[in-house]
Amino acid sequence: MNGTVRLGDFLQARRSQLRPEDVGMPTYGEARRVPGLRREELAVLAGVSASYYARLEQGHSTNASAEVLDAIARALRLDEFERLHLHALARSAKHRGRSRRPAPERVTAATGQLLDSMTDIPAIVTGRRSDVLAWNRLGHALFAGHLDPGAADRPAERPNMARLVFLDAHTRDLYTDWPSKARAVVGNLRLVAGQYPDDSALHELIGELSAKNEDFASMWADHRVRSCDVAVYEMRHPLVGTLTVTQQTLGHGGGPTIVVATAEAGSPSRAALTLLAQAITPAAPARPRTRIDAG
């Protein structure tokens, strides 16, 4: 799918999600054949001509200025992440690149040292396509204790968090409010897809998930964009029971990021994390007793 199609699909989807009453536009009781605003109504809100907006949505124009894009973003009631996504789609429509497979992502020595030092905090390192590049013992135990702990070290077998959320029964059961986690994953993939329109591996992942999971296909068609910087989730862990954690993504840009899970000090959830850490700590070998011979 080229950039002009992605831009047009995004504009059309978001326009269909806005009702006239959402923007204070009278309808005078008229029946509408399709949901959402009409193109000419959106154009009025954005302050552009209806014909120009129609060309933009249909992929016949790729020269929209930053000012026009911002006006359309305001008309569509986009938040900041969605506005930036709109600009990224417009850039990809203007500069059509060749789809290519990017170089493998790697964990730097500094990131590895930081991960090793976080012994009391569950942490994983993910790439931009949500591949798990590394995890500490507690991160593996919390997020994917049913998987081989060495899988993250083997590029061909690395788990992918998006696949786990949508295709793995254990991970689906792990989140009490699974739809919220699923929407966050899809929204973040949308954001990354706009930033890296030529990433063939990313598009293969999206195609795979769309074909194998109806929930993903439906959420992807919604064109929602969401950053997963901070989110609170209730988890149902098979070893320590229910706990509430704050998942935070540390690091921005095109490189790998660290995802950590924390719980409020003194809370039952913090106690559950401590219990989980104890459960996965290898038992120390028994010290031989010193034999004392009677003299």
Side-chain angles (χ1 to χ4, degrees):
M1 183 183 294
N2 62 41
T4 55
V5 173
R6 286 192 293 266
L7 174 61
D9 284 351
F10 177 75
L11 291 173
Q12 184 176 10
R14 299 313 302 269
R15 176 172 58 82
S16 69
Q17 294 161 6
L18 268 184
R19 301 171 301 176
E21 52 266 35
D22 294 333
V23 295
M25 185 169 289
T27 61
Y28 305 106
E30 61 180 329
R32 295 191 167 222
R33 292 179 298 174
V34 294
L37 295 178
R38 298 181 176 126
R39 284 178 181 157
E40 57 269 24
E41 292 171 337
L42 197 283
V44 169
L45 292 174
V48 299
S49 71
S51 60
Y52 175 80
Y53 178 78
R55 291 196 305 272
L56 188 65
E57 192 173 285
Q58 293 169 349
H60 300 319
S61 178
T62 60
N63 61 348
S65 67
E67 292 76 16
V68 167
L69 292 174
D70 283 341
I72 293 174
R74 288 191 294 271
L76 289 172
R77 304 297 194 265
L78 303 185
D79 63 23
E80 182 62 13
F81 287 110
E82 293 167 332
R83 184 187 71 83
L84 293 175
H85 180 67
L86 174 61
H87 280 264
L89 290 178
R91 286 194 299 271
S92 70
K94 189 177 300 184
H95 306 289
R96 300 181 184 180
R98 181 181 301 175
S99 179
R100 60 183 183 273
R101 185 170 293 276
E105 296 177 290
R106 293 181 174 85
V107 178
T108 65
T111 299
Q113 292 172 12
L114 178 60
L115 193 66
D116 290 340
S117 69
M118 302 170 74
T119 56
D120 298 327
I121 300 175
I124 62 175
V125 180
T126 60
R128 71 185 185 211
R129 292 178 294 274
S130 75
D131 292 321
V132 178
L133 308 181
W135 46 28
N136 62 12
R137 290 175 56 85
L138 198 50
H140 166 258
L142 179 64
F143 292 109
H146 63 304
L147 300 182
D148 179 0
D153 299 325
R154 300 187 291 270
E157 301 176 30
R158 280 174 173 160
N160 178 278
M161 292 308 297
R163 284 193 184 96
L164 290 177
V165 166
F166 282 95
L167 305 180
D168 181 75
H170 172 93
T171 305
R172 186 169 187 136
D173 290 341
L174 196 59
Y175 290 91
T176 302
D177 185 1
W178 179 84
S180 176
K181 177 63 178 179
R183 284 191 294 270
V185 170
V186 174
N188 188 66
L189 281 179
R190 269 281 176 203
L191 198 62
V192 175
Q195 295 169 342
Y196 300 95
D198 304 325
D199 188 332
S200 61
L202 175 61
H203 295 306
E204 288 173 8
L205 171 65
I206 293 167
E208 175 193 350
L209 294 175
S210 297
K212 292 182 177 179
N213 188 277
E214 293 182 358
D215 291 322
F216 180 91
S218 176
M219 293 179 188
W220 186 257
D222 201 37
H223 284 265
R224 294 290 179 182
V225 180
R226 181 175 176 183
S227 174
C228 298
D229 292 343
V230 181
V232 177
Y233 296 108
E234 183 179 89
M235 306 179 76
R236 298 173 297 202
H237 197 275
L239 291 181
V240 296
T242 301
L243 69 162
T244 300
V245 299
T246 299
Q247 294 184 17
Q248 299 183 64
T249 300
L250 311 178
H252 300 278
T257 57
I258 298 180
V259 180
V260 300
T262 58
E264 185 179 352
S267 67
S269 296
R270 174 70 71 86
L273 286 180
T274 301
L275 182 61
L276 181 61
Q278 294 170 349
I280 63 173
T281 300
R287 298 179 59 184
R289 292 184 178 181
T290 303
R291 180 177 179 181
I292 301 176
D293 294 327

